[in-house]
């Protein structure tokens, strides 16, 4: 399942997260340890799950992955930095269902560029993914059409520093998903565009800031059945951020207006809020690194359930990174809670009735609780081992509920 991405520009938190990421990556040999401008690595991993298709009565399967990776890094003076990577992946599945292939290929390309011009820092981010998922055939019959697709997300922005007075962040992002097979693309292609401006006024010796911003977004879906699920939205935001020693807090609240492309749905107006608190202790010789982060939010976003146009989403999450043994063993524990409200006023006219049963489509809530425990052991300067256990529980009124357990074990080696 392709993850959906949301843009949440928090300038101070973003910069601090980059600093933590750099120190955490230096911990793991195979996950970004800087050894020169060109790095080659490979990861082999096995993954067992008791619910292959995320269904009420799940079937188990084992997946084996081989993922070579090429990283190219470049920097110039004090003004800029570029990181480019390419990671193809081959997956073998022990027990695919009748709609799946035993072998599957993926491609990932990523690019991050930062460049400073005077008091302006420019950034560009690109993520491209290709999933090769050809048609499934048996005895000359096509059981499932070609579901191969590309997913691309490109974003950019400018951070303008007005010294001790203020900061301004201007940003935009475009996402798209395109299927190879026309009959699949006609119903499943997606486009999303979001952009905004956020202004922050500093006070308290640069440790605190008040903000004011506006954000606009457009979500579009293809539909051969005439089900118009697209919508546009606008957010008006006020915010407060504070950093003191190793603690950072952020609060943003405002109002969100949504206009649906389907005229029968009209519009929607609700409060929008997001908050986060983060403690960061960077690793040094006296104390191991640790990071604790809590975040939450509420607002209207794209739907995860077809054919709803949108959902009212509440999300809470907690993350704990802890260096158990300095430079050798890292633990990550995460827990998240998501509540999606699917109301009839977000159902386009063509999707209000189920085609299979002819009955009104059910509405209601979908609650997702997920947790994961991950351990990374650095074997030496070139190799690391990773083990993870993931649990997911989905209780839904609008599609089948399920639980899922996944166990992963991976070996990463950098040449």
């Amino acid at each position: 399942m392709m993850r959906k991405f949301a843009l949440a520009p928090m300038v101070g938190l973003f910069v601090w997260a980059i600093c933590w990421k750099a120190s955490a990556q230096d911990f793991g040999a195979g996950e970004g340890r800087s050894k020169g401008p060109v790095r080659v690595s490979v990861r082999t991993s096995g993954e067992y799950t008791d619910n292959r298709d995320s269904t009420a009565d799940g079937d188990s399967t084992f997946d084996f992955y081989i993922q070579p990776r090429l990283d190219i890094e470049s920097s110039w003076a004090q003004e800029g930095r570029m990181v480019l990577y390419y990671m193809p992946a081959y997956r073998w599945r022990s027990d695919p269902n009748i709609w799946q292939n035993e072998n599957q290929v993926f491609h990932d390309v990523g690019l991050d560029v930062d460049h400073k011009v005077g008091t302006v820092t420019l950034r560009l981010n690109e993520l491209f993914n290709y999933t090769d998922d050809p048609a499934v055939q048996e005895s000359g019959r096509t059981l499932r059409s070609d579901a191969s697709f590309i997913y691309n997300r490109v974003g950019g922005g400018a951070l303008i520093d007005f010294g001790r007075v203020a900061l301004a962040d201007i940003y935009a992002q475009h996402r798209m998903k395109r299927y190879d097979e026309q009959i699949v693309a006609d119903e499943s292609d997606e486009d999303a565009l979001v952009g905004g401006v956020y202004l922050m006024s500093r006070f308290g010796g640069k440790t605190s800031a008040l903000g004011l911003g506006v954000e606009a977004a457009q979500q579009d879906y293809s539909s051969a059945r005439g089900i118009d699920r697209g919508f546009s939205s606008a957010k008006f935001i006020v915010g407060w951020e504070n950093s003191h020693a190793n603690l950072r807090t952020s609060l943003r609240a405002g109002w969100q207006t949504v206009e649906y492309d389907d005229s029968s749905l009209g519009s929607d107006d609700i409060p929008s809020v997001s908050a986060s608190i983060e403690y960061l202790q960077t690793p040094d010789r006296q104390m191991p690194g640790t990071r604790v982060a809590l975040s939450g939010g509420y607002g209207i976003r794209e739907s995860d359930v077809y054919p709803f146009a949108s959902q009212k989403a509440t999300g809470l999450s907690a993350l704990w990174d802890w260096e158990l043994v300095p430079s050798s063993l890292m633990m990550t524990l995460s827990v998240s809670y998501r509540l999606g409200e699917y109301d009839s006023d977000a159902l386009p006219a063509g999707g209000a009735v189920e085609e299979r049963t002819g009955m009104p489509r059910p509405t209601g809530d979908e609650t997702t609780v997920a947790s994961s425990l991950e351990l990374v052991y650095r074997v030496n300067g070139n190799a690391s081992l990773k083990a993870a256990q993931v649990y997911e529980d989905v209780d839904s009124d609008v599609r089948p509920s399920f639980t899922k357990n996944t166990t992963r074990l991976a070996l990463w080696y950098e040449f």
Side-chain angles (χ1 to χ4, degrees):
M1 180 176 64
M2 177 61 63
R3 293 183 178 178
K4 294 181 180 292
F5 294 86
L7 189 63
M10 297 184 179
V11 178
L13 190 60
F14 170 79
V15 173
W16 201 14
I18 291 297
C19 295
W20 167 261
K21 183 178 180 182
S23 62
Q25 285 185 335
D26 189 60
F27 165 85
E31 308 221 356
R33 182 176 172 85
S34 181
K35 294 187 176 181
V38 180
R39 301 187 300 275
V40 178
S41 60
V42 63
R43 184 174 74 169
T44 59
S45 61
E47 177 177 303
Y48 171 82
T49 179
D50 62 2
N51 195 343
R52 177 192 58 208
D53 304 312
S54 299
T55 57
D57 300 314
D59 294 314
S60 62
T61 192
F62 175 81
D63 293 341
F64 174 74
Y65 290 88
I66 298 177
Q67 296 170 284
R69 174 166 171 154
L70 172 67
D71 288 84
I72 301 174
E73 183 174 340
S74 176
S75 60
W76 44 95
Q78 300 296 319
E79 287 78 27
R81 179 173 178 264
M82 180 204 75
V83 178
L84 171 69
Y85 81 86
Y86 169 57
M87 185 172 66
Y90 163 77
R91 186 193 74 188
W92 173 80
R93 171 159 285 181
S94 66
D95 187 23
N97 66 32
I98 63 171
W99 311 109
Q100 296 173 337
N101 295 283
E102 186 177 86
N103 302 289
Q104 196 167 358
V105 178
F106 308 88
H107 298 273
D108 285 293
V109 180
L111 173 68
D112 289 298
V113 180
D114 295 281
H115 181 70
K116 188 173 183 180
V117 182
T119 60
V120 180
T121 301
L122 304 174
R123 64 185 184 271
L124 173 67
N125 311 104
E126 165 76 18
L127 175 64
F128 174 85
N129 168 269
Y130 174 72
T131 296
D132 179 19
D133 194 7
V136 177
Q137 295 186 336
E138 184 178 277
S139 302
R141 296 184 300 114
T142 300
L143 300 179
R144 191 209 61 194
S145 299
D146 188 343
S148 300
F149 65 86
I150 61 171
Y151 175 87
N152 194 74
R153 183 191 69 191
V154 59
L159 180 63
I160 307 171
D161 190 344
F162 296 102
R164 297 180 60 86
V165 181
L167 284 171
D169 189 24
I170 305 170
Y171 57 90
Q173 184 188 92
H174 178 262
R175 308 188 306 269
M176 74 169 187
K177 191 174 184 180
R178 295 288 186 271
Y179 285 87
D180 288 354
E181 186 77 10
Q182 190 61 45
I183 191 172
V184 180
D186 286 344
E187 195 64 35
S188 302
D189 281 357
E190 299 181 23
D191 282 279
L193 179 65
V194 61
V197 179
Y198 192 72
L199 306 175
M200 288 174 288
S201 177
R202 290 166 166 161
F203 64 94
K206 290 189 177 182
T207 61
S208 298
L210 290 175
L212 180 67
V214 60
E215 181 179 285
Q218 176 69 44
Q219 181 78 34
D220 291 311
Y221 305 89
S222 297
S223 178
R225 304 176 185 178
I227 301 177
D228 197 344
R229 304 170 61 208
F231 65 89
S232 58
S233 69
K235 288 183 183 179
F236 303 93
I237 310 161
V238 294
W240 171 78
E241 296 181 15
N242 178 264
S243 60
H244 178 71
N246 294 347
L247 187 67
R248 176 173 294 277
T249 55
S250 174
L251 174 64
R252 295 190 180 188
W255 197 256
Q256 184 176 12
T257 299
V258 175
E259 293 285 343
Y260 294 98
D261 294 348
D262 189 326
S263 58
S264 66
L265 299 182
S267 61
D268 210 343
D269 298 273
I270 68 167
S272 176
V273 63
S274 64
S276 67
I277 181 169
E278 182 177 41
Y279 171 80
L280 173 64
Q281 173 63 55
T282 55
D284 55 40
R285 293 182 179 179
Q286 287 75 36
M287 184 175 293
T290 187
R291 173 181 176 236
V292 178
L294 305 173
S295 63
Y298 173 75
I300 294 179
R301 50 158 288 189
E302 70 272 22
S303 170
D304 294 324
V305 180
Y306 181 88
F308 290 89
S310 67
Q311 62 173 307
K312 293 183 177 70
T314 302
L316 300 171
S317 65
L319 175 70
W320 180 26
D321 287 320
W322 185 23
E323 195 178 21
L324 295 173
V325 179
S327 302
S328 295
L329 185 62
M330 174 78 80
M331 181 192 75
T332 298
L333 177 64
S334 65
V335 180
S336 66
Y337 167 86
R338 300 191 302 272
L339 172 63
E341 302 174 56
Y342 292 93
D343 302 325
S344 57
D345 56 8
L347 265 177
V353 176
E354 289 188 324
E355 293 184 1
R356 183 175 58 85
T357 64
M359 301 293 292
R361 190 173 298 276
T363 59
D365 297 339
E366 180 171 279
T367 302
T368 301
V369 178
S371 62
S372 68
L373 174 63
E374 179 179 283
L375 294 172
V376 178
Y377 173 64
R378 179 176 170 181
V379 180
N380 54 42
N382 296 84
S384 60
L385 284 170
K386 179 184 293 185
Q389 182 66 40
V390 182
Y391 172 76
E392 186 177 7
D393 184 347
V394 177
D395 184 10
S396 181
D397 298 326
V398 292
R399 58 179 172 179
S401 302
F402 67 90
T403 60
K404 184 174 183 178
N405 293 279
T406 303
T407 303
R408 301 187 182 104
L409 181 63
L411 170 63
W412 193 299
Y413 186 86
E414 184 173 346
F415 298 93

